[in-house]
Amino acid sequence: MTVGADIKQCLATIKSIEAGLSSLAINTNAEDEQRLFHEQMMVIEEIKQDLMKRIGEVEREEEQYKGF
Amino acid sequence: MPGWLEVVVRGVLFLFVLFLTTKILGKKQLSELSFFEYVSGITIGSIAAEVMMGLENNIWHGIIGVAIFAVLPFFVEILSLHSKTVRDVVEGKGTVLIKDGKILEDNLKKEKYTTDELLQLLRGRDVFKVDEVEYAVLEADGKLSVLLKKDNRPLTRKDLDLPSINEKEPHTIVMDGEIFDEKLASAGKNRAWLKGELDKQNVTIENVFLGQVDSSGQLTIDLYDDKIEVPTPQDKPLLLANMKKCQADLELFALATDSEKAKRLYAANAKKLQESMDVLSPHLKG
């Protein structure tokens, strides 16, 4: 697999983690747990943004990795 | 009235009277914690049995007898609720049998307990070596309460310096295939959610014998059909595994890339993910 594909796969996993945390935050009854899951979801969101930026760079630098 | 019929009538009547009495006296009567509860429990039972079988006894006398042993302890209870002195006299006080790890022989003698009986009580609390006990009290109801030495107490999260987790009680929302809306509401869920969760596990509500939802919103079920294997909820462990995989990937990317800027970006995010994992893992395990 190419580097581009690797990174995109990682991005997909990050997205699934974010969604998982979001659903846990909604489902739990304990308030502090709710807050914790939500906070960590924000952290994952930041990582996601960074990864997306990096994917943009990789695609610009190397034309063959383009496309999702 | 023939004798046998009278026994039946009296039996039913007294069952009803006893039921009412215990309802009025409450749960405390059933626990038999103090002298009054113990004595009235025995006496009420004896009176009921006596009047029921001894047909020559007047039935009303029996009911009066039961009433006395219900009403008097009732008022003593109320009195002892308000006064510590009355409480100490009526309900009795606990006697310290072991203090600072040493057996207090005088107190043991005062309560007329032999060494064997003390050992027996300790064994009942899963203590086989007196050496393990820091403090033990013989309670007013004859049970022994034991405080183990710190070294012998079970390990807790606090001992391991693990972050504290506040877990709420689980709710039983399905019993015998019947949904309890009230419980469902107190768990903060609704029927649509339940249906969704059951569909996910591929079972129908009719097949569910027992369903419980814990504070993190995970549903665990037991089915009538024991041949069907119910999967344990995997959402949380899966999430944790995914985080681990991603973290490893990011570290790998940081090593693989030539660009210095990208290397830093990957490393920073790998670290962020690691920190997030550390915080979340106590909540995602189990």
Side-chain angles (χ1 to χ4, degrees), chain B residues 70-97:
Chain B
V71 170
L72 268 185
F74 182 73
F75 281 112
V76 172
E77 289 293 327
I78 288 177
L79 218 61
S80 63
L81 262 186
H82 293 288
S83 157
K84 172 80 177 143
T85 344
V86 175
R87 202 150 62 220
D88 285 346
V89 173
V90 173
E91 312 207 340
K93 275 196 284 193
T95 313
V96 181
L97 291 188

Side-chain angles (χ1 to χ4, degrees), chain B residues 115-139:
Chain B
T115 326
D116 285 323
E117 281 161 342
L118 175 66
L119 288 176
Q120 185 187 342
L121 284 175
L122 281 173
R123 283 195 296 269
R125 303 299 312 268
D126 288 335
V127 180
F128 284 79
K129 266 172 79 178
V130 182
D131 182 47
E132 290 173 6
V133 181
E134 168 69 28
Y135 186 77
V137 186
L138 185 66
E139 304 290 359

Side-chain angles (χ1 to χ4, degrees), chain A residues 21 34-44, chain B residues 279:
Chain A
L21 283 174
Q34 226 166 38
R35 200 176 331 109
L36 178 93
F37 283 138
H38 195 73
E39 278 166 10
Q40 295 311 315
M41 192 189 86
M42 306 292 238
V43 174
I44 303 291
Chain B
V279 179

Side-chain angles (χ1 to χ4, degrees), chain A residues 7 27 29 33 40 46 50, chain B residues 187 189 215 266 272 276 283:
Chain A
I7 302 177
N27 269 324
N29 274 343
E33 219 173 37
Q40 295 311 315
E46 284 166 26
D50 274 0
Chain B
K189 307 285 181 227
S215 66
Y266 287 136
K272 236 192 232 172
S276 173
H283 296 266

Side-chain angles (χ1 to χ4, degrees), chain A residues 37-68:
Chain A
F37 283 138
H38 195 73
E39 278 166 10
Q40 295 311 315
M41 192 189 86
M42 306 292 238
V43 174
I44 303 291
E45 159 96 35
E46 284 166 26
I47 299 174
K48 188 181 83 179
Q49 296 297 342
D50 274 0
L51 267 185
M52 278 162 92
K53 219 162 46 188
R54 177 65 194 152
I55 286 173
E57 280 168 20
V58 169
E59 281 180 345
R60 213 170 32 250
E61 280 165 18
E62 289 164 66
E63 206 53 38
Q64 71 267 30
Y65 292 147
K66 201 150 192 164
F68 222 112

Side-chain angles (χ1 to χ4, degrees), chain A residues 3-21:
Chain A
V3 178
D6 274 346
I7 302 177
K8 278 172 189 163
Q9 198 189 31
C10 186
L11 176 71
T13 320
I14 283 282
K15 279 180 179 168
S16 116
I17 293 170
E18 193 191 355
L21 283 174

